[in-house]
Each structure stands twice: as structure tokens, then as C-alpha cells.
Amino acid sequence: MNTGAVIAAAGLSKRMGQFKPMLPLKDSTIIRCCIQNFIDIDCSPIIVVTGREADKLEEHIADLPVECIRNPLYARSDMFASVMIGLNAIEGRCSRTFFTPGDIPLIKLCTMKQMLAMDADAVRPVYGGEPGHPILFGSSLISRITAYNGNYGLKGAFESLGVNFADLLTDDPGILMDADTQDDYLRLLSYSIS
């Protein structure tokens, strides 16, 4: 079967101070770059979970082959709530699922292709000893992940299930580069033109 993707883009962007999905990057925006990564490796379906400024964001990506689903409680829920919305929407539609926050746009395609080539229930990329995104896991785990009601989000769900990630050691710093703060965003801009 195919590999799908869930992108969480519902957050408030509080630390950034601006609505980060639509910030310029390369000749595009952060969210469009993030989505394009999954298009380029033929993921389907691609689920984007929206929240803040959902109308504007959904219009901004309407020409891309994605499905947008809203987290109506985005203002008072954490990212795991958006993860669960996305996973519920993709369950049963693919054999494996990528997950990433919507502000990690500069992952190398070779990294994602190497992850797809690994025979493991769950795979994560690791750069400099630190795990990053996206993560990839068998969709058979989805119902067990969404049943988790602990306090430690997706990481806690995987730990509670005893999932052992296979680590892909990579030279790709993009797996760790998000846009949580202005400094993070400046690093993305610098890296995107290097």
C-alpha cells in the first residue's frame, strides 16, 4: 500500500509572534515547502491539520493535493490533539504514515527516501545524536496511538506502546530545523540559500 503523511499546522505560533506556516521561504512559504517534500516522494493522502487562521491557510494551499482538517480546539489544546485528528483521518488509507509539525520544511528528500527503504515498524532520522522529524511508522499503530491519554504527547504514546524506533543516522540538519522563534526562522532562511 501507499505511504501517507500527517502535517500538524494548527498551532498559535506564540513564540514566533507571526503566523509561521505562511512565512516566506525559498520562493515559497514554510508550509508549502513542508507539503512539497511529501508530494515529491509520492505520499498520499497528505493530511494537513489546521487551526489558527484556518481559512487563510487552507486557501493558501488549496492548489496542492492535500486534505485539510481543522482542530476546532487549537487555541486550548496541544499538538497531540492535532496529531490525533490527523491520524484518525488517515487511518485505514495507507500502510505507513509520516508525521511532522508544519514548521520543519527543509528535510532532504534523500533522508525521506532512506527512511522509506528501512524495514522497521517505526523510523526516525537522527542528526548529531538528536532525533528529529519526520517520523515514519506502520499505520497498524494508529489506533493504539490515538487511544493514548497520557500527558506526554506523541512521544509518550510511542513509549507507552513500547515502540522501538529504528534510527536513520543522517547528515541532514534539516530534520531538526523548525521555526519556533525568530532566530529559528533566520536559521531556516540562511540554510535554504546555502
Side-chain angles (χ1 to χ4, degrees):
M1 276 182 77
N2 52 314
T3 298
V6 172
I7 302 171
L12 293 170
S13 303
K14 279 184 182 176
R15 285 181 286 170
M16 169 57 70
Q18 302 175 67
F19 186 52
K20 58 188 177 182
M22 292 173 61
L23 289 173
L25 186 68
K26 297 184 180 181
D27 295 323
S28 187
T29 60
I30 287 176
I31 190 63
R32 289 181 71 91
C33 287
C34 185
I35 292 167
Q36 191 64 49
N37 289 335
F38 295 107
I39 294 172
D40 288 345
I41 58 167
D42 298 321
C43 284
S44 179
I46 302 171
I47 308 292
V48 180
V49 183
T50 64
R52 178 184 170 188
E53 300 189 38
D55 288 340
K56 184 188 295 186
L57 179 56
E58 290 168 14
E59 182 179 352
H60 177 66
I61 59 177
D63 61 316
L64 298 176
V66 300
E67 298 173 32
C68 294
I69 299 178
R70 296 189 183 188
N71 175 357
L73 303 178
Y74 72 91
R76 56 183 187 275
S77 63
D78 59 15
M79 187 187 297
F80 189 54
S82 294
V83 172
M84 292 211 292
I85 289 169
L87 292 182
N88 281 324
I90 209 169
E91 187 172 13
R93 300 171 65 188
C94 51
S95 59
R96 293 185 296 177
T97 300
F98 276 109
F99 168 75
T100 189
D103 67 341
I104 303 182
L106 297 180
I107 303 154
K108 293 178 182 177
L109 291 184
C110 62
T111 300
M112 299 170 78
K113 289 177 180 177
Q114 288 172 323
M115 292 175 70
L116 285 170
M118 294 177 70
D119 183 19
D121 288 338
V123 180
R124 64 184 181 183
V126 176
Y127 175 78
E130 188 173 349
H133 286 94
I135 58 172
L136 175 66
F137 50 92
S139 295
S140 61
L141 292 172
I142 288 178
S143 61
R144 296 163 64 200
I145 293 168
T146 56
Y148 175 72
N149 59 5
N151 297 320
Y152 301 102
L154 188 56
K155 181 179 180 182
F158 281 119
E159 288 176 354
S160 74
L161 296 175
V163 173
N164 291 314
F165 278 90
D167 289 344
L168 171 68
L169 303 181
T170 178
D171 62 355
D172 180 2
I175 69 163
L176 302 176
M177 299 177 70
D178 59 21
D180 281 345
T181 67
Q182 287 286 346
D183 285 346
D184 293 337
Y185 177 49
L186 291 175
R187 276 192 288 274
L188 281 177
L189 290 174
S190 177
Y191 182 68
S192 72
I193 59 174
S194 62

